Amino acid sequence: MPHATDDRNYRLPTSVRPARYQLTLSLDPGRRVFAGEGQVGLELAAPTGELVLHAAALDLTRAELRTADGPRAVRVVPAPASETVRLVLERPAPAGAATLELAWNGHVSDGLRGLYQAAGVAVTQFEAADARRVFPCFDEPGFKAPWALTVEAPAGLALLSNGAPERTTEAAGRQRVAFRETPPLPTYLVALACGALEARPAGAARGVPVRTWAVPEKLALTAFAQEVALEVLPRLEDYFGLPYAFGKLDQVGVPEFEAGAMENAGLVTYREAALLLDPATAALPVKKRVAEVITHELAHQWFGNWVTMQWWDDLWLNESFATWMAAKIVDGWRPEWRVWLDFDAGKAAALHLDALRSTHPVRAEVKNPEDMTESFDVITYEKGGAVLRMIEGYLGEGPFRDGIRLYMRRHAKANAVAGQLWAALAEASGQPVPELADAWIGGPGYPVVEVRREGRRVALGQRRFYSEPGVAEAGERWPVPLVLRYEDAGGVKEARHLLRGAAGELTLPGEGEVRWLVANGGSTGFYRVAYDAASAAALARHLPRLAPSERIGLIADQWALVRAGAREPADFLDLLAAFGGEEDYAVLDELVGRLAGLEARLADEPVRQRFQRFVANLVGPAFARAGWDPAPGEPDALRMRRAALLRALALVAREPAAVAEGARRLDRFLGGDAAALEPNLHDAAVAMAARAGDERRFEALRARFKVEPDPALKRRYLTGLALFEDPALAARAEALAFGDEIPLQDAASYMGALLANRTAREGFWGALRQRWDAVQQRVGGAPMLLRRVVEAVGQLPERRHLEEATAFFAAHPVPAARQAIAQTLERMRQDVALWERLGPAVARWLAAR
C-alpha cells in the first residue's frame, strides 16, 4: 500500500511542529555546492514513530532525534513525489519537546529558485515552496518558528540574512557570520545573499537601519530606493499602529530575478529594474513603479510576515493587501503622482482576465507547488486589491483601518485565514463585511451593472459579465456597493446604493435636470457599467466634467461591451473620436492603448492606413503644440501628456516625420547627447527607431544593451531588438531568443515582443514550436517565466494561429502552466472571432467619416 507521502498533494501533519531552527550553512559558490548542519527544535503533540519534513534535491547525511528519554537513530526515506523525507525512528518518540539533529549537502540551482547564482551573487528565492531545496524544513506557511542562522562563505563577500550579524570571524580565507535570531517566520520568508554587493551608507527610519545594496557598478543607482524606504516605513508603522518588527531592513538589487521582488523579512530582494534608477534620467512611470514595488514589499512586513496566511489558498491575503496598501501609502507621500490611476490600470487587467470562463476565484484552491505558482496572477493581486479598495470605500477609511489594526494585534506572530480578517473588519465597523467580502473573494467573475435613467429615477440590474458573446450567465449575483456621481442644477453630487439582487431602483437626491450620471464614481468598484443609449450619449457630451478615472473607465467599459457583442463598434469609435481634445495624460494613455490595439489587429493594409490617418488627425495638432522639448521647469503632467501623444502619433499612426525625428534623437542620445530625449520620450523613441531601423541601428542597440547599467534603459534596448521590421534583422532578433545573450529573467518578455512583431512573429512562432524542449529546459527553473511565454502566444492574431496553438499545447502539455494555457487559448478564440467581425466594421466607420 503506498505511503501518504507518495501523493504530490501531501500536506505535513500538524501533530509535529517546529519550535526553533538553529542551522549552519556552508557555501562554496564557485563549486555551486553547499553543506548544512544543525538542530530543529520540535513539539510533538502525540507519540510518533516517524517524522516527515520537506527536502528536495538534498542529500541527508545524518539524522538523529533527541527526546527526554534519550537519542534515537533515524532511517531516512526520501519521498520525491511530495518533495519530503520520512525520518523513520528506531523506536517511537513520546509527546513533548524534541530536538532533531541534521546534516545535509545540496547544489546551487540552475534556475531562479532555491539558492541560485546571479552574476556573482548567490541569493535565495523560497516563495512558494523552495526553502526545501536548501534546508530540510517544514516548508508550509502554517509552520512559523524563529530562525538562528550561521553562514560560512568566502571572505571578502557581502553576506546578508534576515537578522543583523551578531558575530563574525575569519580564518583561512573564509568568513563565519552568526545572524541574530528572527521572530517566528515561515520558511518562505527566510533569505540569504552572498556576493559582490555594496550598500549605500545606512539611513534610519525611526531607529530602524535601512541599507540599499547593488553590485558595485550600480551602487550609484540606489539613492532613490533608499529614499523611498525611509519615507514609507514610518507611514506604514502609523497605518498599522505597530512598529516594524525585524530590526533592520536591507534591500538588495539582484542581477537576475524571476518575479519583481520578494518580501523576505528584513532582507527584501528585487529585480534590479524594480529597485535601481537614476532620478535625473528616469521617466516618471519608472519612478512610480519602483516606489510602488518597494512599498508593496514593505507592507508585507506586517501583512504576510507579522501575520501570515495559514495556507496558500489565502495567498491573496498577502498580495491583495500589499497591492492596495502600496497605492495608498505612495499616494499619501506623492499625491501629485496620482498612483490610484496606475492602480486602476492593474485593475483593468484583472477585469479582462476575470471575464473569461477559465478565470478563478481570488481565494483559489491550492493543492501543491504547481498550483501555488499559478496563483501569482492579476486575479490574486489586482482583483483582490480592488475588492479591498471597494470594501474600504463602503466601510470608510477609519473603520477599515481600525479593523486592520485589530487583525494585526489579534494574530501577531501567528497565522490567520480570510474569515478572521472579515471578523476584525466587521467588529471594527459594525457592518456585515463577511457577506460583502465572501461574495467577491470566494467566487469567480464579476457583474456588469446595467443603468437606465429616466429623470431622477435610476433602474439598476446586474448579471455576470463574460467577454465572449452569447455565453449564458448562471445566475450569480453580488452585493455591489455603488457610488453614483451625477450633476444637476445644484452641482456635482454623490449617492450610494448597495445593489444586492438582480435588480434595484433609486431616486437621485436633489432637484432639476440630471445632466449626466456615472454609476462607478471614482472607478473604485470592480464591475463594468452598461448605460442606456441616452445616458451614454450624455456622458460623451460632458466628458470634461468627469474625473480622469471615470473617463478611463468609460472607455474601458465600452470596449469590453463591444468585445462581448453588447455594443456596436461604431459607437465605440465615435466615443474615441470625442476624446480629440483630451489633455489628461492618464486618459490619453488609455485612449492610445485602445487605438494601438485596434491598429495592431487590422489585417487589411488600406484599412489600416486609413485608420492611421484618423489617429494622426486626432492627436497630431496637440503634439505639434506640445513639441519635442519641455520648457524649463515644465511639470510632469505635461511631459507625460507629450509622451502619450507621441506614442499615438509615431507608434500607432506611424507618421513619417515623427518617426524620423524620434530616430534622429535616439541616435544623438546614444552618441552621448543626454538632452536629445526627454526621459519620458525615450521608450517611444527606441520603439520607433527600431521598427524603421537598419543593421547599424540594430548593432547600436545590441551593443548598448550589453553595457548599459541602468536597468530600465537596458530593458528598453533589449525590447527594441525584438521590434525591427526589416526581415533579415527580425530573423537575427529571433535567433537571439534561443541563446545566452538574453538574460533568463527577460526571456519571456523578449519572446512576447517577437510574437507581437508583424514581421518576426511567423518565423519565431515556428522556431518556438520546433525548439520548445530547449525553451522549457531553460525556463523550467523559473516556472513563472514559463507561464509568461505561454501567455505571449496569445498575441498571435489569426484563426490558423489559434488552431496551431491549440494543437501544439494539446501535444505538449505544461503541468506548471495548465491554467495559463486554458486562459490563453480562450482569449485567442475570442480575439480571432472579435477581429473577424470588427475589421469590416472599422472599415465601414472609416469610410463614412
Side-chain angles (χ1 to χ4, degrees), residues 43 129 259:
E43 290 292 337

Side-chain angles (χ1 to χ4, degrees), residues 687-708:
M688 67 183 76
R691 281 178 170 180
D694 55 14
E695 183 178 8
R696 177 192 61 81
R697 187 167 291 133
F698 184 93
E699 290 303 328
L701 288 183
R702 186 176 180 183
R704 191 61 174 263
F705 158 71
K706 291 179 180 179
V707 300
E708 176 60 57

Side-chain angles (χ1 to χ4, degrees), residues 10-25:
Y10 175 79
R11 294 275 300 276
L12 297 180
T14 58
S15 57
V16 180
R17 303 189 66 87
R20 183 175 184 265
Y21 293 89
Q22 184 171 352
L23 305 177
T24 297
L25 200 67

Side-chain angles (χ1 to χ4, degrees), residues 362-382:
V362 174
R363 191 180 191 275
E365 183 180 15
V366 172
K367 295 180 179 179
N368 55 61
E370 287 175 358
D371 291 347
M372 298 176 209
T373 296
E374 291 225 82
S375 294
F376 291 89
D377 66 4
V378 295
I379 299 297
T380 299
Y381 284 69
E382 277 76 13

